[in-house]
Amino acid sequence: MADEGGAYWTLATAQKLVMDSTDLDELPSDLSDKLEVTEYDTPTADSASTMMRTSASVGEKPRTTGGMRNYMLLLSEQKKHWKWYIVLILSAIGGGASQPISAYLFATEITLFQSWGPWLPGLAGFWSLMFVMLAILVAISYFALGWSSSTIAFHIIYRYRCEYFENIVSQSIGFFDADDHSVGALTARLATDPSQLQELLGTNMAFVLISILNVVGCLIISFYFGWKLTIVTLSSSMPLIVAASFFRIRYEARFEKMNNEVFAESAKFATESITAFRTVSALTLEDTILKRYETLLCEHVKNSFGKSSWVTLLFAVADSIALLCMAFVLWYGGSLMLKGEYLPFQYMIVYIAVLQGGLGAGQWLSYGPNVAKASVAADRILEMRANGQETGTPPPLDRGSMEDGDSGVKVEFRNVRFKYPTRDVPVLNGLDLTIEKNQFAAIVGPSGCGKTTVVSALERFYSADSGQILYNGTDISAVSLEDYRRDISLVSQEPNLFDGTIRENILLGVNTDTTTEEQVQQACRDAEIHEFIMSLPDGYNTEIGSRGVTLSGGQKQRFAIARALIRNPRLLLLDEATSNLDGDTERAVQAVFERTRKNRTIIMVAHRLATIQNADIIFVLGDGRVLEKGNHATLLKMRGIYYQMCHAQALDR
């Protein structure tokens, strides 16, 4: 400090608080009582979103109809593909008719050999030719079936994957609070659910339809040629087939749901580990991470082994039920032939038809697991759609007067109360504060006093339990959310950048067609990052990597400030926006905020009081309410909480 003008002296004086001449040690004796503010484990910036409540309760799941109604709803949405569905149905009819027709042809062919004569070779050749024609029909049917179902599947995957992703990113912040809505779980669902849905509405639906037509066709031909044997068979064996089908699909649905829950947990853990790969490497946690992941998978195997045994038993029963039907038909049909009630042709065609019908039913059951998975996927897709639905169309934001010098906004909190849904601890207890147009307002206080909550409430990430938040006299919950957020910008303590170029990241959220290169560069100059960008080989076209991995924390923060300034917001929210900047850069950026504060309202949350000592008004929060308010000089004269906070951060004591 004795070396005035040196590097350290410059950094220290940039963070210097302006204090009055009063002895800093002479503090009121009762001040320590005022400072006993309840501290909560309130996360800052992005992590705060995992703790708060939206207008809908966190974890509350919308009601979905489920079952056949969901399937019919999704099927009705495929009207524009009706031509392909017609081809699919016709080809399925062709494939489904093959089994009953082959049963008739085979029975006829076999009974021919009971006779003898010169006409036998001709008849045998004719019916053999019918088999050839049937084979051609089946080949054409399955070719058309594969072509149409594949086309439908591609359209379904494209449409519902786009819709699924849109519904995910359109959710309120509180949606992601639930444990089963982690990034890893949602990413896994986005990859698998639309693919499973296409099986329900495309390929597997066609094969299920073929199996049903096989069973129906075989039953019809059996009743026509031998109703007595058919009725006895249906009344004794078919109930076993239906029961096996019901319980198999039921257990498959439960098993699939359990698998999704377990794999969601492991996917969440894997995503977090890969995202934080630098921390994992720095702490040499590779072996620990692998063991934890292995433990999760082993627990899944252990928990699911018992249920999978029952499902395997149902598989065995369902696939062997056709042989049981065959044995019964052989015995009872033989008895009817001995009594002379059935001719060999009747017995043979009923036997083959029932056998083919049993095989068709077994094939139908084999699609049970796929149908169960697809049904669960359909429920999740519709659930996500229900979560993202809005009731009515909110009116646009009334921006009021936009004349020069009056482009800011007035913000009011009126008796706002809020608490976390996971804990019965209040964060805001009847908060009342007013920020006038074009004011530079600062919010300070101990950790957990509700500073970040105020910013999140203004961004409409969450809704208050009671009270009102007014934006130019209008309740923010009564206007269009998209229109409202166009009017404000947020710079958080931990800004997020996307994989791409510097220019692409700065232009996020603005109209790239109307934003000029000069505006981009001016925003970067204001954020004190332009010179750094121009020093790079590709300038503004430099790739920054995933999540801005090639940048330092301070550089990321300056990019976020430039991204906020280029939007020219009427309300600028700064949540520890300069915490990663050095003193000189912070002072330069702060000068930009002060120069532009006449054209907008600025609300800054800060722990470092040197950054807000020039604010028009400072609110000191504690216990969820305003304890002190005024400018820097006024609060120092009060010798209260703000006075002690300044004393604690003074560098020259």
Side-chain angles (χ1 to χ4, degrees):
M1 292 301 295
D3 182 16
E4 294 189 11
Y8 182 81
W9 183 90
T10 303
L11 291 172
T13 54
Q15 301 179 32
K16 183 176 178 62
L17 278 165
V18 178
M19 305 293 292
D20 57 16
S21 58
T22 307
D23 187 359
L24 295 177
D25 294 330
E26 296 177 0
L27 298 177
S29 59
D30 62 341
L31 184 59
S32 59
D33 296 334
K34 296 182 181 180
L35 282 171
E36 291 182 359
V37 180
T38 304
E39 292 195 9
Y40 314 112
D41 296 330
T42 307
T44 59
D46 297 334
S47 60
S49 64
T50 61
M51 304 291 293
M52 304 176 67
R53 174 169 56 189
T54 61
S55 54
S57 299
V58 174
E60 178 182 350
K61 296 183 179 180
R63 296 180 181 178
T64 54
T65 54
M68 184 58 66
R69 189 171 179 180
N70 277 352
Y71 173 73
M72 296 305 298
L73 174 62
L74 293 173
L75 188 61
S76 66
E77 295 176 355
Q78 315 306 316
K79 292 180 180 178
K80 62 180 181 179
H81 306 309
W82 63 272
K83 294 181 180 179
W84 290 109
Y85 273 101
I86 289 178
V87 175
L88 185 146
I89 292 173
L90 292 177
S91 56
I93 292 175
S98 62
Q99 297 296 344
I101 293 176
S102 66
Y104 177 80
L105 294 178
F106 188 75
T108 304
E109 189 87 18
I110 291 298
T111 53
L112 280 177
F113 294 103
Q114 294 179 351
S115 305
W116 190 260
W119 44 268
L120 182 59
L123 287 177
F126 172 78
W127 290 111
S128 298
L129 181 62
M130 292 298 100
F131 264 109
V132 174
M133 299 301 295
L134 178 62
I136 295 175
L137 172 64
V138 172
I140 295 174
S141 298
Y142 276 93
F143 176 80
L145 177 69
W147 188 284
S148 58
S149 61
S150 298
T151 303
I152 292 172
F154 290 139
H155 285 296
I156 289 175
I157 292 177
Y158 168 78
R159 172 184 174 180
Y160 286 101
R161 185 162 288 170
C162 290
E163 178 191 318
Y164 209 8
F165 181 70
E166 180 182 0
N167 288 335
I168 290 175
V169 299
S170 300
Q171 299 300 323
S172 60
I173 302 299
F175 169 82
F176 301 94
D177 296 347
D179 293 336
D180 56 346
H181 294 159
S182 65
V183 175
L186 292 176
T187 303
R189 292 181 187 178
L190 179 63
T192 58
D193 283 356
S195 300
Q196 291 177 349
L197 183 62
Q198 64 87 14
E199 295 184 359
L200 186 66
L201 300 176
T203 307
N204 280 352
M205 182 190 72
F207 285 109
V208 169
L209 181 59
I210 288 176
S211 300
I212 294 174
L213 291 175
N214 275 335
V215 174
V216 173
C218 290
L219 290 178
I220 290 175
I221 198 172
S222 299
F223 271 107
Y224 181 79
F225 288 100
W227 61 269
K228 189 174 182 179
L229 177 59
T230 305
I231 289 178
V232 173
T233 304
L234 290 179
S235 60
S236 58
S237 301
M238 284 302 175
L240 297 177
I241 297 177
V242 175
S245 173
F246 173 77
F247 285 108
R248 177 174 178 174
I249 294 178
R250 182 180 179 181
Y251 274 98
E252 279 295 328
R254 293 180 178 178
F255 192 63
E256 175 66 15
K257 183 178 180 181
M258 183 190 69
N259 281 348
N260 286 326
E261 292 175 354
V262 175
F263 282 124
E265 183 180 359
S266 60
K268 175 184 176 182
F269 179 76
T271 302
E272 292 176 347
S273 302
I274 295 172
T275 303
F277 69 95
R278 291 177 179 268
T279 303
V280 172
S281 299
L283 299 176
T284 62
L285 292 175
E286 291 87 351
D287 292 339
T288 304
I289 294 296
L290 291 175
K291 289 180 181 178
R292 174 58 179 161
Y293 190 69
E294 183 180 358
T295 300
L296 287 174
L297 296 180
C298 288
E299 289 177 355
H300 161 63
V301 173
K302 181 179 179 181
N303 294 332
S304 61
F305 185 78
K307 290 187 177 181
S308 63
S309 301
W310 286 102
V311 173
T312 304
L313 179 60
L314 287 174
F315 269 71
V317 172
D319 289 338
S320 62
I321 202 73
L323 297 176
L324 179 63
C325 295
M326 184 192 307
F328 182 79
V329 171
L330 284 172
W331 172 77
Y332 187 70
S335 301
L336 293 177
M337 286 185 61
L338 289 175
K339 297 177 181 178
E341 297 184 24
Y342 272 30
L343 296 175
F345 172 76
Q346 291 177 286
Y347 167 73
M348 186 61 65
I349 196 171
V350 172
Y351 168 73
I352 297 175
V354 172
L355 175 62
Q356 297 288 0
L359 294 176
Q363 187 180 17
W364 182 7
L365 292 176
S366 67
Y367 294 107
N370 295 332
V371 172
K373 294 178 182 178
S375 298
V376 174
D379 291 341
R380 283 200 295 261
I381 289 175
L382 292 179
E383 176 187 332
M384 191 71 68
R385 181 186 298 177
N387 270 323
Q389 288 179 349
E390 294 184 359
T391 56
T393 303
L397 179 65
D398 182 9
R399 287 176 169 79
S401 174
M402 294 294 288
E403 300 175 358
D404 293 340
D406 191 29
S407 57
V409 295
K410 180 180 180 180
V411 176
E412 297 176 82
F413 280 70
R414 294 182 179 177
N415 194 29
V416 175
R417 297 181 181 275
F418 178 82
K419 63 181 178 180
Y420 298 125
T422 55
R423 292 173 296 174
D424 192 19
V425 178
V427 180
L428 300 181
N429 290 315
L431 178 64
D432 289 294
L433 62 83
T434 300
I435 301 171
E436 300 295 337
K437 287 186 177 181
N438 306 326
Q439 272 193 335
F440 175 21
I443 301 175
V444 299
S447 297
C449 66
K451 301 186 299 297
T452 298
T453 306
V454 171
V455 173
S456 298
L458 282 172
E459 271 282 1
R460 287 182 63 182
F461 290 155
Y462 310 95
S463 296
D465 296 333
S466 63
Q468 282 186 310
I469 303 176
L470 303 181
Y471 186 91
N472 272 349
T474 303
D475 194 320
I476 62 174
S477 62
V479 296
S480 169
L481 179 60
E482 183 177 357
D483 197 43
Y484 169 75
R485 284 183 178 160
R486 286 199 188 102
D487 232 23
I488 60 180
S489 284
L490 170 66
V491 182
S492 61
Q493 184 176 2
E494 299 175 0
N496 282 323
L497 300 179
F498 294 87
D499 189 9
T501 65
I502 293 174
R503 179 180 287 102
E504 290 170 346
N505 273 274
I506 294 174
L507 290 174
L508 289 173
V510 299
N511 190 337
T512 57
D513 296 330
T514 59
T515 304
T516 64
E517 183 68 17
E518 177 59 31
Q519 289 175 305
V520 175
Q521 294 186 10
Q522 184 59 46
C524 292
R525 289 190 185 97
D526 292 339
E528 293 292 322
I529 195 67
H530 175 72
E531 297 300 328
F532 166 74
I533 296 173
M534 298 308 297
S535 69
L536 299 173
D538 296 326
Y540 282 85
N541 294 321
T542 302
E543 296 282 343
I544 63 173
S546 177
R547 300 171 65 90
V549 69
T550 61
L551 304 174
S552 68
Q555 289 166 347
K556 290 180 184 179
Q557 207 159 47
R558 279 179 278 175
F559 279 128
I561 292 172
R563 186 168 60 189
L565 292 177
I566 201 172
R567 291 165 59 90
N568 193 25
R570 300 176 70 194
L571 176 61
L572 179 60
L573 303 175
L574 306 170
D575 188 3
E576 295 287 343
T578 59
S579 60
N580 290 328
L581 304 183
D582 61 84
D584 279 342
T585 304
E586 182 181 35
R587 184 167 55 182
V589 172
Q590 187 67 30
V592 174
F593 294 152
E594 293 180 4
R595 285 198 310 268
T596 61
R597 68 182 185 179
K598 293 182 179 179
N599 300 321
R600 62 173 59 97
T601 301
I602 299 177
I603 300 178
M604 175 179 282
V605 172
H607 281 103
R608 198 155 59 193
L609 302 181
T611 62
I612 53 92
Q613 58 185 331
N614 294 327
D616 296 321
I617 186 169
I618 301 172
F619 297 94
V620 182
L621 299 190
D623 199 22
R625 61 174 63 91
V626 176
L627 300 181
E628 297 175 1
K629 67 178 179 179
N631 58 26
H632 178 71
T634 302
L635 292 175
L636 285 177
K637 292 178 181 178
M638 293 173 60
R639 299 175 65 83
I641 298 176
Y642 184 79
Y643 182 85
Q644 184 173 4
M645 294 171 65
C646 290
H647 171 247
Q649 295 186 23
L651 297 177
D652 58 349
R653 66 175 187 266

